[in-house]
Amino acid sequence: MIRVENLHKHFGGFRAVDGSSIEIETGSITGLIGPNGAGKTTLFNVIAGRLPPTSGKVFMDGEDITGLTPHELFHKGLLRTFQIAHEFSSMTVRENLMMVPGGQSGETIWNAWINRRRIAEEEAALLKKADEVLEFLTIDHLKDEKAGNLSGGQKKLLELGRTMMVDARIVFLDEVGAGVNRTLLNTIGDAIIRLNKERGYTFCMIEHDMDFIGRLCDPVIVMAEGKVLAQGPATEIMQNEAVIEAYLGTGLKNKVKAEAEAGA
């Protein structure tokens, strides 16, 4: 679904993404891992249209989408979430979901004057869909709660729910597990798996929790210093010497290896 070719993103002399090429297969849950500063979020931001690339190309289903804006990509079914959730804190959980679909009739003054019936019908349909989404995510008991009062994990579920309001085709998840307790993380993981298997969503996720990555993702792509270091199944990636060194550094890697051999 997504193909990235020789992508570069430079900030002055700093090469945040330095010639990376990746592919995300339709129907997959692809993990993107790497040490802090590897260029993962910058890569996400370029693919999702928040940053223009210095050079290189991004394709979606064979179409060149390089440099398209986030709202243009939104209408193509490409969405992303953020490490820090972005909610309308003073609105209810249900209202947050109902805000998502674009082109609503009530957005224009003209329709507000003469097409009130159409607006009411659309709102009723959106209300029904929002409730279905909340039930799917098992947070329907929070539908009338102010979004700003939710826990970090509940806000991540709300962000996932937003993607369901427009039937996204591919969703980029930026550290969905950050600051989330294990129980809610399992709930989020279950929802991602169900969306993938039952509704055909494709996911690509940045995550540091390797247990979470191992449970959900195949394949896993590893970045370091702006480049793609390795790609493969999670079990192979976790045993890859270059990946271990990128995460731990040579000295600590040797210490871990020595301890493992001593224990054996």
Side-chain angles (χ1 to χ4, degrees), residues 27-31 192-193 196 201-205 216-219:
S28 69
I29 305 178
T30 299
I192 291 170
I193 291 170
N196 174 253
Y201 278 38
T202 300
F203 288 97
C204 182
M205 65 170 67
L216 270 68
C217 298
D218 185 18

Side-chain angles (χ1 to χ4, degrees), residues 230-249:
Q231 178 173 336
T235 51
E236 292 181 11
I237 289 296
M238 292 176 191
Q239 298 172 5
N240 185 299
E241 287 284 326
V243 174
I244 295 170
E245 184 171 327
Y247 266 104
L248 301 179

Side-chain angles (χ1 to χ4, degrees), residues 57-97:
K57 295 287 185 180
V58 181
F59 297 89
M60 180 174 178
D61 290 332
E63 176 189 356
D64 188 348
I65 60 170
T66 312
L68 292 187
T69 62
H71 78 269
E72 290 172 323
L73 295 171
F74 173 89
H75 290 294
K76 292 181 179 294
L78 188 157
L79 285 77
R80 69 156 295 176
T81 66
F82 296 87
Q83 181 179 350
I84 299 175
H86 291 59
E87 77 283 351
F88 297 104
S89 58
S90 63
M91 300 175 68
T92 68
V93 169
R94 179 195 271 158
E95 289 168 343
N96 267 261
L97 294 182

